[in-house]
Amino acid sequence: MRRPAAVIALATAALATLVVPAQARQPAAHAPQDEKQAVAVGYGGAVASVDLDASRSGVEVLRHGGNAVDAAVATAATLGVTEPYVSAIGGGGYFTYYDARTHKVSTFDGRETGPAKMTKDFFIDPKTGKPLSFNDAVTSGLSVGVPGTLATWDSALRRFGSRRLGDLLQPAIKVAKNGFTVDQEFVDQTTVNQDRFKDIVPTRELFLPGGKPPAVGSTFRNPDLAATYEQIAKKGLGWFYGGELGKEIATTVQHPPVDPNATRDVRPGVVRSSDLARYKVVPRDPTHVDYRGLDVYGMAPSSSGGSTVGEALNIMKQFKLSDPVEALQVYLEASKLAYADRGAYVGDPAYENVPLKTLLSDRFARSRACLIKPGQALTAPVAPGDLKGEGCTTPSGTGQQLPYEGPQTTHLVATDKWGNVVSYTLTIEQFGGSALTVPHRGFLLNNEMTDFNFTSSTPAGYPDPNLPAAGKRPRSSMAPTIVLKNGRPLLAVGSPGGSTIITTVLQILLNRIDLGMTLPQAVEAPRATQRNTAQTAAEQAFIDKYGAALKAKGQDFVLFPGPPAGVIGSAAGLEFLGGGKVEAVAEKVRRHGGSALVAVPAR
């Protein structure tokens, strides 16, 4: 019998629908307009990251019908190829998502965890009874935590994605096989690590071809990582979390592949395959504060990003901030106070009683804001606030010194034609992580365990919430942020930079919301970071522009030491302009510039 034409048409349409995901495996050549640019405006979705190849991977997924989560995963996987020193699958991160259908914000805690054999004295040298130096701890198996990045991708895709992980790894596999053009940023990051890398055999073989960093303009290929991604696509997460690759990761940590002729003492770690098999991503309720009528959502502990950004904003909103110098004075003082509370109260909530509700309350913000005097800076480090205080209470006791936190991370943002939004920060801690490459697998392992405090650093009378423990997640400053206006997305922003992430996000929000800058202007503006330290670290352009006026108000500035020296953060953001139009923004100059792309550029 002849089938009616309508039935044939429906069957044809269904077949076409079935092949769409397969098409995502082989994205078309990038569009002519997909060149490196700091700002892009258009429709149909957008991606911004620190790298052009990664942003291209994400935007091609959007053009093939993928959603924001799909695009974010494809972008992150490609960053694992082109930004291997900060965003490898040997690390972890925090994923913030706005769902356009439900108008709700969700977050995933994909932070690395301490291995089962970790103790609070993990970084104490048994020979001396004193903490190891950071340099001795970082380039070792001791610094490696159980990775969470791959599990984060899987969790986000299962909950909100529309594509298989295996499909979304294909653009990154292509880049890893064909190679990418080495730029000055890649050379700089390699050079910083050259002394460490040369002592670890697989790391040297991969990242120091011929015994030195690759040249600018050369092509860098990573066939081992391409093969690893292919195996993940074929075998699934079990191969990594407790399977064959998990065993190889554990072996690398327990028996670091050190050059026999190296004099460096690379201490073994204690990560086991069973630690990887037990790893879980934790879905968390986001932090939320109201700022000038906008809803600001962020990442709850184990990250301190959402709580510290939120507390500082609550303090800042007690003031009218229209004059730039007055606004910056309040921003620096609010940051100082919020960092004092961060250090005393914020850690992994599975292990610590984090008073998150109090820290984000307007009552507590008022008790802190009243300490700020417009013409006089507080002497840092200031003491933590009294959680039970009413009115204006002057805290007693002394403050704490800023604990070390590696300043290298990466951030990306993505949105799609339906209005879903991702703000995602991921890392292996510092440039090059632990310096340990899993042999023949093409990726570095993190050094996130050095984000724990080696010994208690809180003021007297305050238990340290960030000491090592088995299964515990070290405190982070990653702050992937989404801002809603009347329940709809207005901004998405984040940055790398260790403990400077919080102040970078804060300053961008201040610039955009209070000082009336456009988002590109807010990202490009010179930065300063006050983290409850005696001096405020700043970029030279900030010191040149505002230093004299703020010094008159009691601020003391020093050039940000880096790395890279004099450069704070490398932000990426989105602003939603209405009518489906979106503006994607990356850095224009910092870290040699980022990449913003849209699916369909506006005319």
Side-chain angles (χ1 to χ4, degrees):
M1 296 178 61
R2 293 178 62 188
R3 295 182 179 181
V7 174
I8 295 173
L10 284 171
T12 304
L15 181 60
T17 301
L18 288 173
V19 301
V20 168
Q23 291 175 342
R25 300 181 185 183
Q26 297 294 333
H30 62 270
Q33 67 271 15
D34 290 353
E35 301 303 324
K36 189 173 181 179
Q37 55 189 338
V39 180
V41 179
Y43 302 88
V47 175
S49 77
V50 299
D51 178 74
L52 176 59
D53 288 302
S55 295
R56 282 173 174 169
S57 293
V59 86
E60 285 301 328
V61 167
L62 295 175
R63 288 171 180 157
H64 282 100
N67 66 21
V69 172
D70 305 328
V73 170
T75 303
T78 304
L79 286 170
V81 180
T82 60
E83 288 273 311
Y85 307 143
V86 294
S87 53
I89 55 173
Y94 298 96
F95 194 103
T96 304
Y97 173 74
Y98 168 81
D99 188 295
R101 182 179 61 84
T102 63
H103 310 301
K104 292 183 178 180
V105 176
S106 303
T107 68
F108 296 92
D109 182 335
R111 182 68 157 161
E112 300 87 340
T113 57
K117 289 189 174 183
M118 176 170 261
T119 66
K120 66 182 180 63
D121 297 324
F122 198 67
F123 291 108
I124 304 299
D125 188 338
K127 296 178 181 178
T128 65
K130 296 180 179 180
L132 294 171
S133 71
F134 178 78
N135 288 337
D136 287 340
V138 64
T139 308
S140 76
L142 292 174
S143 69
V144 180
V146 182
T149 291
L150 199 59
T152 303
W153 298 351
D154 181 70
S155 296
L157 287 170
R158 287 178 183 274
R159 179 89 179 272
F160 297 113
S162 69
R163 298 284 188 267
R164 293 176 56 252
L165 176 59
D167 294 334
L168 299 171
L169 291 175
Q170 299 307 314
I173 292 170
K174 183 177 180 181
V175 174
K177 286 181 176 180
N178 296 342
F180 62 91
T181 302
V182 171
D183 60 9
Q184 189 61 52
E185 179 67 15
F186 189 82
V187 173
D188 291 347
Q189 292 182 16
T190 309
T191 303
V192 165
N193 283 291
Q194 186 170 358
D195 187 56
R196 297 197 304 147
F197 283 4
K198 67 180 177 58
D199 290 341
I200 312 298
V201 176
T203 307
R204 180 181 66 214
E205 291 174 347
L206 178 58
F207 296 115
L208 297 174
K212 59 184 180 181
V216 172
S218 63
T219 299
F220 187 91
R221 297 179 177 85
N222 193 340
D224 284 348
L225 183 57
T228 298
Y229 278 173
E230 288 176 333
Q231 289 299 306
I232 292 169
K234 179 180 178 181
K235 298 180 178 179
L237 257 66
W239 184 62
F240 186 99
Y241 287 100
E244 179 185 345
L245 182 52
K247 294 175 182 176
E248 293 176 24
I249 291 170
T251 298
T252 303
V253 173
Q254 295 174 30
H255 306 282
V258 184
D259 187 322
N261 296 318
T263 58
R264 185 185 301 275
D265 183 7
V266 181
R267 292 168 171 80
V270 296
V271 172
R272 297 178 295 183
S273 178
S274 57
D275 291 317
L276 282 96
R278 284 193 295 266
Y279 183 84
K280 300 293 183 185
V281 171
V282 181
R284 298 193 189 277
D285 291 333
T287 61
H288 169 249
V289 297
D290 175 276
Y291 188 70
R292 317 288 192 200
L294 304 174
D295 293 294
V296 181
Y297 290 92
M299 191 68 224
S302 60
S303 179
S304 65
S307 63
T308 312
V309 168
E311 180 186 344
L313 288 173
N314 279 343
I315 295 171
M316 289 161 58
K317 76 182 182 185
Q318 309 302 318
F319 301 85
K320 183 179 180 180
L321 305 178
S322 55
D323 174 75
V325 173
E326 296 292 341
L328 289 168
Q329 172 77 353
V330 170
Y331 150 70
L332 294 174
E333 295 299 283
S335 299
K336 187 181 296 179
L337 294 164
Y339 268 83
D341 300 325
R342 164 192 182 268
Y345 300 124
V346 180
D348 184 344
Y351 292 74
E352 310 294 337
N353 184 19
V354 181
L356 186 61
K357 184 176 180 180
T358 298
L359 292 174
L360 293 176
S361 69
D362 287 329
R363 176 192 63 79
F364 186 67
R366 287 191 294 269
S367 76
R368 301 298 268 158
C370 69
L371 300 173
I372 298 176
K373 310 302 181 187
Q376 181 181 351
L378 293 163
T379 300
V382 299
D386 182 355
L387 296 175
K388 297 180 181 179
E390 295 290 343
C392 190
T393 57
T394 301
S396 60
T398 59
Q400 69 180 115
Q401 298 300 317
L402 180 71
Y404 178 84
E405 186 176 343
Q408 295 82 24
T409 316
T410 196
H411 182 78
L412 65 94
V413 288
T415 187
D416 56 37
K417 62 185 177 182
W418 298 282
N420 303 303
V421 184
V422 170
S423 186
Y424 180 29
T425 313
L426 63 160
T427 184
I428 60 172
E429 215 269 5
Q430 69 166 37
F431 287 143
S434 64
L436 302 181
T437 297
V438 182
H440 312 298
R441 296 304 184 187
F443 66 92
L444 287 154
L445 294 173
N446 69 82
N447 67 291
E448 293 294 354
M449 298 300 94
T450 57
D451 271 358
F452 282 120
N453 297 339
F454 290 11
T455 60
S456 182
S457 65
T458 52
Y462 291 87
D464 194 317
N466 192 43
L467 291 175
K472 190 175 183 179
R473 296 164 195 251
R475 182 175 58 213
S476 169
S477 295
M478 287 182 267
T481 302
I482 294 176
V483 180
L484 306 184
K485 181 178 182 180
N486 299 325
R488 299 293 191 274
L490 175 66
L491 300 168
V493 69
S495 176
S499 59
T500 71
I501 292 173
I502 291 165
T503 54
T504 295
V505 170
L506 267 174
Q507 195 174 351
I508 290 172
L509 294 177
L510 171 73
N511 291 342
R512 177 67 191 89
I513 298 168
D514 292 287
L515 299 182
M517 297 182 190
T518 64
L519 184 58
Q521 291 169 339
V523 169
E524 189 175 351
R527 293 176 186 147
T529 178
Q530 172 48 249
R531 293 160 288 160
N532 199 23
T533 53
Q535 293 179 302
T536 295
E539 296 175 337
Q540 188 61 53
F542 185 95
I543 297 172
D544 293 343
K545 187 171 184 179
Y546 301 110
L550 289 170
K551 283 180 181 179
K553 296 179 179 295
Q555 303 294 340
D556 185 19
F557 292 98
V558 63
L559 186 67
F560 181 70
V567 177
I568 300 175
S570 183
L574 300 170
E575 178 160 359
F576 297 84
L577 306 177
K581 183 185 287 189
V582 63
E583 181 176 51
V585 181
E587 294 284 3
K588 187 176 182 180
V589 175
R590 292 182 184 92
R591 284 179 52 176
H592 305 283
S595 170
L597 294 176
V598 292
V600 181
R603 297 192 177 188

